[in-house]
Amino acid sequence: MTLFDARLCKAARTLLDWSREDLAKASGVGISTVSEFERGDRATYEASKARMKSALEAAGVVFLTIGDIDGLGVRRR
């Protein structure tokens, strides 16, 4: 399982030049969900995190794990 946290979410959005609104629209979650997840203001449902991660991956982001050659992070497909 690949880690998906607020830092990686922000990095992925930056890589795509997406706003929080763009991610909310692409993933079908509320803008407040994206904002609060990235700020760490509250616990986010796993289903919401999975939808955000899937939307970013569908747009071409690859999430790297600690075991990958390049280490933890994000890159474009």
Side-chain angles (χ1 to χ4, degrees), residues 3 10 19 34 37 41 51-53 64:
L3 174 71
K10 289 179 200 177
S19 66
V34 176
F37 171 64
D41 287 349
R51 290 175 74 172
M52 289 186 283
K53 183 175 180 276
L64 306 173

Side-chain angles (χ1 to χ4, degrees), residues 18-35:
W18 276 13
S19 66
R20 287 177 173 166
E21 291 85 2
D22 294 330
L23 178 55
K25 184 176 179 180
S27 63
V29 302
I31 182 68
S32 62
T33 299
V34 176
S35 298

Side-chain angles (χ1 to χ4, degrees), residues 6-71:
R7 292 173 301 157
L8 292 175
C9 186
K10 289 179 200 177
R13 281 195 310 100
T14 299
L15 192 62
L16 295 172
D17 195 27
W18 276 13
S19 66
R20 287 177 173 166
E21 291 85 2
D22 294 330
L23 178 55
K25 184 176 179 180
S27 63
V29 302
I31 182 68
S32 62
T33 299
V34 176
S35 298
E36 291 170 359
F37 171 64
E38 289 188 345
R39 287 192 315 258
D41 287 349
R42 67 176 172 101
T44 304
Y45 292 114
E46 291 300 317
S48 296
K49 290 194 282 188
R51 290 175 74 172
M52 289 186 283
K53 183 175 180 276
S54 292
L56 292 163
E57 290 172 327
V61 171
V62 174
F63 291 92
L64 306 173
T65 64
I66 293 172
D68 288 332
I69 293 171
D70 295 328

